[in-house]
Amino acid sequence: MWLAAGAFAMLAACRAGAAADDKAAPSLDAQIRDHLKLADYELQAIVPQRDRRPQDLRVDLVLGGLPTRIVLQPYSLRSANYKLYSADGRGKLTPVAPGPINSYRGVVEGRGGSAAAASFIDGKMSMLIDDAGESWWVQPLSDIAALAGANQYVVYRNADVMDDGGRCGTVDMKRLPVANIAGPTGPPA
């Protein structure tokens, strides 16, 4: 009887410990809402695809319940005289070839006056979309949850970001130039 009672007590303690662990690990929803300070969002599987021109990308996603296609083209943020150097530890600088351009600009297909800006870092896309005055954000879920799949993204409206008393450093967001999909890549001269 004592053995059975001891085993029961141990099992109850293990269950209590597991319950405490469950409380300690917030749900994925709680992690997303807390990390990004969001009132609402959607999780979407998004796989950017090559468009008609090989350097262009198209991104199919859902915004406000509507299927939406974003068309992006490379857009360099580097100045015309951009140079990259590596230091050898003794003060000697050696020129290094810069990596590929990982920033893009574009539009919501079929919607005049829209704009999008995206970057691809370590294979993960981050994007801002301005569609008829409503701003949307696309962020990799793996930035919040390490075990997230490579194509899982958090999509949310700017209006769903809760005020936490902070201030965005990007005060010129509305000045994002609309990309000329048919034109050259790179900043205007």
Side-chain angles (χ1 to χ4, degrees), residues 14 17-19 28 34 36 42 47 62 73 76 81 103 110 128 152 157 166 175 177 181 186 188:
C14 287
L28 179 59
D34 182 59
L36 296 174
E42 286 187 18
V47 181
V62 176
Q73 66 180 182
S76 179
N81 59 354
S103 50
L128 165 63
Q152 293 180 304
R157 294 177 315 131
R175 295 185 185 176
I181 294 299

Side-chain angles (χ1 to χ4, degrees), residues 53 56 73 179-185:
R53 297 183 337 165
D56 292 352
Q73 66 180 182
N180 178 359
I181 294 299
T185 62

Side-chain angles (χ1 to χ4, degrees), residues 17-102:
D21 287 346
D22 289 344
K23 289 178 186 172
S27 69
L28 179 59
D29 177 66
Q31 290 178 52
I32 292 168
R33 289 177 188 275
D34 182 59
H35 184 81
L36 296 174
K37 307 294 186 229
L38 297 177
D40 197 19
Y41 67 91
E42 286 187 18
L43 289 179
Q44 296 184 31
I46 301 172
V47 181
Q49 303 288 324
R50 292 281 166 211
D51 203 33
R52 292 176 291 276
R53 297 183 337 165
Q55 72 271 24
D56 292 352
L57 295 174
R58 71 177 185 276
V59 179
D60 293 321
L61 67 160
V62 176
L63 298 179
L66 300 173
T68 305
R69 174 168 287 169
I70 310 298
V71 180
L72 299 166
Q73 66 180 182
Y75 185 89
S76 179
L77 299 172
R78 301 170 184 163
S79 72
N81 59 354
Y82 173 82
K83 293 184 173 122
L84 181 63
Y85 293 91
S86 174
D88 68 0
R90 290 177 278 155
K92 182 179 179 197
L93 297 177
T94 306
V96 177
I101 294 169
N102 63 4

